Amino acid sequence: SSLSWCLEQLDEDDLDFLRSFQSIIQKSLLSDIELLCYHGSPDSNMEIILSNSEDSIYDNISSRYRANIFVSGHTHLQMKKNYKDKLFINPGSVGSVFPKFFMPGETPTLVPQAEYAIIRVEDGKISVIMRHIPFDTKYFKKFISNSNIPIKDWWLAQYC
């Protein structure tokens, strides 16, 4: 499996580094502005939070954690959502960007770009800039072609 292959590429120092990861990170940006970061949700790395998720998901998270800005990942879709007095952000993905429209269950053709977000706090105001930059798919395909990753064909088929 791909997971087994990935684990075989790591040495003990790599594994120690990965073990040091925290599932939730909270940082104070100012005395009254807190940032909470997690992968899927604070409860699960696999939970999916989208801009059209039920309000109860946003209520549940924002009522349990003292933060103004909530940053998640997992979906590979950029998102910026103001909900009540909170801000929910997904900065996107680096290298596995899903197209804006695809059918769940289908394997999407990935967009050849890296996405990220810049969060600024100035004069007590929060602003978020969503960015994306293209990357060289020819280099990526050559790199993957020369690797022994088990899902090589799947990766190569993702980019036109």
Side-chain angles (χ1 to χ4, degrees), residues 17 34 39 77 79 108 126 139:
F17 175 70
E34 293 283 325
H39 184 77
L77 297 167
M79 175 188 79
I126 303 166
Y139 175 81

Side-chain angles (χ1 to χ4, degrees), residues 18 29 31 33 57 59 64 69 72 76 86 92 100 102 106 138 158:
L18 291 174
L29 302 181
S31 62
I33 298 181
I57 291 172
D59 286 330
R64 292 179 19 237
I69 306 168
S72 66
H76 297 248
K86 310 293 183 188
K100 295 217 182 300
F102 72 95
E106 291 181 3
K138 288 180 186 173
Q158 299 311 301

Side-chain angles (χ1 to χ4, degrees), residues 3-155:
L3 183 56
S4 297
W5 180 87
C6 290
L7 282 170
E8 291 168 9
Q9 308 312 301
L10 305 175
D11 63 22
E12 199 56 40
D13 287 342
D14 297 326
L15 293 171
D16 285 343
F17 175 70
L18 291 174
R19 287 182 195 109
S20 74
F21 284 11
Q22 299 173 18
S23 60
I24 299 173
I25 297 173
Q26 186 156 4
K27 296 285 181 188
S28 293
L29 302 181
L30 292 174
S31 62
D32 61 340
I33 298 181
E34 293 283 325
L35 174 77
L36 188 78
C37 301
Y38 42 85
H39 184 77
S41 80
D43 300 320
S44 166
N45 284 333
M46 301 303 289
E47 187 171 359
I48 293 174
I49 299 175
L50 301 169
S51 60
N52 63 349
S53 291
E54 299 279 330
D55 287 353
S56 60
I57 291 172
Y58 292 103
D59 286 330
N60 181 31
I61 294 169
S62 59
S63 69
R64 292 179 19 237
Y65 296 92
R66 191 178 86 71
N68 312 76
I69 306 168
F70 296 82
V71 181
S72 66
H74 186 54
T75 65
H76 297 248
L77 297 167
Q78 278 190 330
M79 175 188 79
K80 180 171 73 171
K81 179 180 176 104
N82 290 300
Y83 183 77
K84 297 184 179 176
D85 61 342
K86 310 293 183 188
L87 180 58
F88 287 82
I89 299 167
N90 184 326
S93 176
V94 176
S96 292
V97 176
F98 287 179
K100 295 217 182 300
F101 302 101
F102 72 95
M103 296 301 294
E106 291 181 3
T107 301
T109 299
L110 300 175
V111 179
Q113 64 188 25
E115 296 177 329
Y116 62 99
I118 299 171
I119 301 169
R120 288 193 175 131
V121 179
E122 296 177 274
D123 299 324
K125 296 188 191 276
I126 303 166
S127 67
V128 178
I129 302 167
M130 301 299 229
R131 295 272 173 93
H132 62 272
I133 56 172
F135 71 84
D136 185 346
T137 55
K138 288 180 186 173
Y139 175 81
F140 176 79
K141 285 182 171 186
K142 182 179 177 183
F143 180 82
I144 293 297
S145 293
N146 292 329
S147 78
N148 61 352
I149 188 168
I151 59 170
K152 177 189 324 194
D153 293 337
W154 180 86
W155 269 110

